[in-house]
Amino acid sequence: IGGTQTQQQQQQQGEKESLLNPKQSKAKQKKDKMKSLSLTLVTIVVGLTSSHAFVSNSKPGSFGTITANSRKSPMLFASTAVAATDEIVQMFEQTKKFFLAKLDENISQHLTSAGLSEEDEVFATKKDALYLPLAHFVTEYFNANQVSFSQRQNEESSPKATAERMHQAISYGMAHGMGSDIYKFGVSHQALRNGIPDDESNTNDYYAFGCDFFRCVMDLPNSVFTGTDHLGKALEQWKNGENVVFLSNHQSEADPQVVSAFLEQAGFGDVAAPNVYFVAGHKVTTDPLAIPFSMGRNLICIHSKKHINSGSKEEKSAKQRQNLQAMSKMLEMMRKGTIEDEQDQDKKYGCALWVAPSGGRDRRNVETNKVPIADFDSKTIDMFRLMGNKSKKPTHFYAMSMVSYDLCPPPDYVEAGVGETRNVRFTPVGVAISEELPNEGGVESRHTFAELAQERCQENYEKLLAAMQEPNNEE
């Protein structure tokens, strides 16, 4: 984000230093980059703290009656159909207006420092390309937190906290998803809980960042989590060094954070939640805004069947090679285990994997406005069964059903590129775990196993929807 004249002079000095000590200079550039982003954050937060947006004479519980919200969504559950009082609306609008003004200013400074003049036509084009998607995301996130704050009056969704988290997300996206220093993922990735290796100035916990960002817009008291007894059995198997595979539908970019919330609510937040490996497509490792969230997750990085055939013949071959390397790495983890048992250093947990056999997110039916589960791909499930057999370790399969569409609704149609429009809603979420699926039979029964996995996922999905539509009388 645009720097001052003094920062530009420091950059020129840094370029001279790089000729003398390139290795030290690169580390210094990373440190200076994060320092610049931090200074911008301080500017925004100081401005917000001193603004009228945080001056309120209201006491907790004195915001008045909450009425029906007019924001429509395919799964708008009764428990979240709320709107804010005029006072809360004013607080959020003032804070959002200030935030967007600073964002606009910083993007203009960034383009100017890159040598563009505001009189140039390309200046307005580039500015719109940067500002408009971010402004939409900011507006959506503020609106979702406004509903959360109205209903729960939780400090985590206050205007100030909302602004701080959003700026953190944009700052991380700028630092790790744009420019010449984009974070590169391998075929597997381990969550960064204490900064980036070889960068002593960075001590960020990207897992906690992602969970905190989305947890505040999940209506957890009205969420539905079922099958915790099956979950307990699965995690006990995992703890005993065996492999566990959750075959799940997929609805939102925030699904990893939803899974973490489910594990936290079920009492498995300390060990299980941060250590599940997610099989991830190329978008979450290449999209500038998605990259920081992915940095906080354990990933097996592949190209899904929906996108592997896009591009040139050479690109397709490269994608296929990456998929083979990713499967090889996954097999190694299934054989050797993942994390050490704190009570027995000679013992390792198995590998806990989350995969969406459909190869992508469930999409809304534009005619019915419903969100059906996308069909599971039997070949994908066959591959994971094969990997389980090759690992020579017991491998257990469970169907996971997820209701998370409204949290961060995807586009109605599949897009091969990155940079999609981000929408955010304050909403309950739902997760259900089935009983263990019998992993029996060979080639002749592979379709039967895939059909059973889809059937269990569908059954629990419908039960979740029904339970979440019921009025909540806790208040």
Side-chain angles (χ1 to χ4, degrees), residues 15-26:
E15 292 172 353
K16 295 178 182 178
E17 293 175 357
S18 67
L19 298 175
L20 300 175
N21 194 336
K23 187 175 181 180
Q24 182 179 357
S25 174
K26 187 175 182 180

Side-chain angles (χ1 to χ4, degrees), residues 5 159 232 243 322 424 456:
Q5 183 64 32
N243 301 314
Q322 179 180 327
V424 185
R456 292 290 180 269

Side-chain angles (χ1 to χ4, degrees), residues 186-369:
V187 295
S188 68
H189 171 77
Q190 191 169 3
L192 300 177
R193 302 300 308 273
N194 189 30
I196 300 174
D198 303 323
D199 185 358
E200 296 180 357
S201 65
N202 186 333
T203 59
N204 301 321
D205 185 340
Y206 293 92
Y207 171 81
F209 151 71
C211 289
D212 293 344
F213 189 90
F214 282 109
R215 189 187 293 109
C216 58
V217 289
M218 297 181 207
D219 185 3
L220 293 176
N222 289 310
S223 294
V224 178
F225 302 123
T226 65
T228 53
D229 51 341
H230 305 314
L231 174 65
K233 176 185 175 182
L235 296 180
E236 189 65 28
Q237 292 165 336
W238 171 61
K239 183 179 179 180
N240 290 334
E242 301 174 6
N243 301 314
V244 174
V245 181
F246 296 106
L247 302 171
S248 178
N249 69 312
H250 179 24
Q251 296 202 326
S252 163
E253 281 188 311
D255 278 351
Q257 286 74 31
V258 174
V259 171
S260 287
F262 169 50
L263 292 169
E264 290 168 358
Q265 294 291 311
F268 302 106
D270 292 340
V271 178
N275 289 299
V276 173
Y277 273 81
F278 291 82
V279 180
H282 75 286
K283 286 190 176 183
V284 300
T285 58
T286 56
D287 186 286
L289 276 178
I291 283 175
F293 295 94
S294 299
M295 291 166 69
R297 288 287 155 179
N298 296 324
L299 302 177
I300 302 292
C301 303
I302 65 165
H303 291 273
S304 73
K305 67 184 185 71
K306 290 185 177 181
H307 302 293
I308 196 167
N309 292 320
S310 62
S312 65
K313 184 177 180 180
E314 292 75 17
E315 289 172 332
K316 181 179 178 180
S317 296
K319 293 175 183 179
Q320 291 172 337
R321 285 195 301 272
Q322 179 180 327
N323 281 4
L324 289 174
Q325 293 169 355
M327 291 298 102
S328 177
K329 181 62 178 179
M330 185 180 74
L331 178 58
E332 178 186 341
M333 290 191 297
M334 295 176 80
R335 283 174 172 167
K336 297 181 178 179
T338 50
I339 62 172
E340 292 183 353
D341 191 322
E342 294 182 356
Q343 298 178 351
D344 184 353
Q345 297 299 320
D346 295 328
K347 181 181 176 182
K348 275 192 172 182
Y349 287 47
C351 184
L353 291 160
W354 179 98
V355 60
S358 65
R361 287 167 289 177
D362 302 335
R363 307 286 170 159
R364 179 176 68 102
N365 184 317
V366 295
E367 295 181 358
T368 65
N369 206 37

Side-chain angles (χ1 to χ4, degrees), residues 3 11 36 75 99 114 119-120 178 229 239 367 388 418 444-445 462 465:
Q11 181 179 358
S36 175
M75 296 183 181
F99 189 100
E119 282 71 34
D120 297 337
M178 299 179 67
D229 51 341
K239 183 179 179 180
E367 295 181 358
V418 298
E444 72 284 353
S445 63
E462 292 174 359
L465 289 177

